[in-house]
Structure formats: structure tokens, C-alpha cells
Amino acid sequence: LSGPLCQCHTVRSLDLKNNNMTYDGVSTLANFMRSAEEGENEEASAFLHAVEELNIGWNDVLDRGIVSISMALREAVELRRLLINNAALADEATAAISDMMKCIRVEQLHLRHNSVGSDGAALLSEALNDDGSLIALLLGWNDIGVAGTEFICDSLRRNQTLRLLDVDGNDLGSDGAAAVSLVLRDNSSLSSIWLASNNIGDLGIDSLSDSLTYSTKLLTLDLENNGITAEGGALLAVALRHNSTLEKLWLGHNPIGDEGVECIADALQANTGIKELSLRFNGITSSGASMIAGSLRDICHVETLWLGGNFLEDSGILSLADALCVNTSLRLLCLEGTGITDAGASDIYAALEENGSIATILLGCNKIGDKGVLAMIYHALKANRSSTEWEATEKDYMYYIKQHEHDKEIRLPEDVLV
């Protein structure tokens, strides 16, 4: 590897993920970079002064490999994105990363799917104590727990530069949610918080919804798979009635049911900010679909709606189709796995004859056998995309990318961090 790099003086991005690289491989790369510090290798110096992104994730490089590469990267003055996902990284390596970040201006640090504990989180929080360069910290699926979250949140109450905090799958519980809720009150820079799969429950939602009521900066909140019931849905609905800045709310895989959806649908009529709402696998039936349809008839700000995995059946689809006849804001609608048959597909096509704004409808995993009606839906949507000049970007599919992380590693479009 170091040989080819000697011939590439202007490498900006080096992607080595999922290459079966071990400690020996990353050590060779680190030695190449360290040769620049000793004045022995002009090519290594050129590389260190040019590279902006390094990805060594999904390799079994171990803690000592990360320590070695972190020490070598202290001279990488242009490095802005460092990705070390799923690399058997634990607290020893985290200390080296924290020290490295005191020397250079990394903006995005991706450490998902590792073994970072509360001690490692405490070390990383040091990089947040001052308003430095870090704008995205991704720690999803580690072991930081409540204690580690409290360390990070304490630093964030002073930090005013971080925009995205990812603590998915870290066993935060309601106490961790309470710590995050305090940040929402004090921090004026965070625009995205990912809290999926943390067993927050309705008690944690109570803390978060109270702070969300007053938040004026948060744009994206991920609460997927947290055991939120109809009670939690009602609490969030109260917050939504007062919050006009939140744009993306992801609530999939929570048993909020029709009762919780009714509260949220009502709140959407008072809320003017939500542009993307995920209600996938929420136990919604045709009754809940009718409530959502009622809101879609009256509101003009929701652009993306994910309803996949709910048994809406054709009767629920008919309610949504009727709403589409008058709604002009929706651009992307996910109806995957909702029990649609040919009759429901025909209702969707009939709605598209009236609706000239929706550009994408996802219909996979249904029971539609009529290829003719599917073809008509396809051509109608294609015509809408042409007339509205709307094309889905990676930013629009950020939620979908998160759900299929193992198929496509999470990338952060620049405008996600604005």
C-alpha cells in the first residue's frame, strides 16, 4: 500500500474499509506516514498534507492498530473525515484518537459498531470541551451507556460547534434520554440527534418532549425502536404543537399504534416544521391511515412519509389516495409491505391523475399482481418528477440509508450538517 501512495501526491480520500486489513496492514500505513515526520519521505509528507478523508473501518485492526495510525495522523493537517467503524476499537484506542484530535481539525469522526465504553466516551468528550472543529460525532452501537452519555452531554452544554450526535444502540434508557434532554435546552448548535434502539421508553420521551417544546435548533430526531407506546406518542404530539423547527422525526419500530398516531396526526395540523416523518412498523391499521390522510388533506409541509410495515390494507390506502388528490406537498411516500392488492394500486393511480407533485412511491413487498397498473403508476410518477424538477438526493434517503447500513455505509451529505 505505501508503495502506490508514494506515487499519489494529491490523494484526497483513501478508502480502505472492508479489506481484511489487520494490525500489520495498518501498521505499515502508519509507518509510511511517520516517515514524513522524520524528514525521510517527501511523498509521505505530500500525502499527509493532502488527505482529507481516511476510512479504515470494517477491518480487524484492533486497538493497537488504531493507536499507531492515530499517532501518525497528528500531522495530517487537512484531514476532515475519519471513519473507523466496526474495527474492534475500544477505550485504549479512544485515548489515542482524542489526543490526535487536539492536533488536527477533524470535522467528522465515525466510530460506529465498536466497543467504546464510558471511559472512552469521557476521553472523547474532552474534544468537545472547547468549540473546536468537530461537527459530527458518530458513536452508534458502542457500550457508552448512561455514564458515557452524561460525559458527552456535559461537554455539549458548553460546546457550540457539534451539529450531529449519534448514540444509537448504547443502552441509554430513560436516564440517558434525560441527559440528552438537558443538552437540548442549553446547546444552540446541535441540529441532529440519533437515539435509536436505546430502550428509552415513554419515561425517556417525557424528558425529551419537554425539552423539545423549547428547542429552536434541532432539525432531526431519531427515536426508532425505543419501546415508545401510545402514551409516548401523545407526549411527542404535545411537543410538536409548540415546536416549529424540527424537520425530521423518525419513530419507526415503536408500538404507538392507531391511538398514538391519532395524537401525532392531530399535532401535525398545528405544526408547520415537519418535512419528513417515519411511522414504519408502528402497528398502524387502516384506522390510523385514515387519521394520517385527514392531516395530509389539510397540511402542506410534509414532503416525505414512511408508512411501510403497517397493515393498512386497501381500505387504508383508499383514504391516503383520497388525500393525495388534494395534497401538494408530499414528494416521497413509502408504502412497502402494507397489504396493498390490485384494488389499492388502482386507487393510487387514480390519485396520481389528480396529483402532479408526488414524485416517488415505494410499493415493494405488497400483493400487486397487475403489471399494467404498476406501469401506469411508474409513468405518472416519472411525469411528476419531470414537471416538478424534483429528484431524490442522498439527503432525502438518509433515513433509508440508516436502516440499511450494512448494505451501504452511512455517508453524511454536507447539507445534513448545515
Side-chain angles (χ1 to χ4, degrees), residues 11-78:
V11 171
R12 295 285 185 267
S13 178
L14 181 59
D15 187 353
L16 299 172
K17 72 173 182 291
N18 199 24
N19 266 297
N20 296 317
M21 189 164 59
T22 63
Y23 167 74
D24 290 338
V26 77
S27 180
T28 299
L29 177 60
N31 289 337
F32 166 73
M33 289 189 283
R34 274 198 294 269
S35 67
E37 302 174 21
E38 300 162 2
E40 300 174 357
N41 192 327
E42 292 183 2
E43 288 82 4
S45 179
F47 170 75
L48 274 178
H49 285 79
V51 67
E52 298 173 0
E53 176 176 332
L54 175 62
N55 189 344
I56 55 173
W58 304 88
N59 291 295
D60 194 17
V61 295
L62 306 177
D63 261 20
R64 56 181 181 152
I66 302 302
V67 170
S68 179
I69 201 77
S70 297
M71 293 179 65
L73 285 171
R74 292 182 182 187
E75 300 299 320
V77 294
E78 296 299 323

Side-chain angles (χ1 to χ4, degrees), residues 81-100:
R81 295 175 295 279
L82 179 60
L83 296 87
I84 319 179
N85 300 309
N86 195 25
L89 179 156
D91 288 345
E92 180 184 352
T94 309
I97 292 171
S98 180
D99 289 341
M100 173 204 69

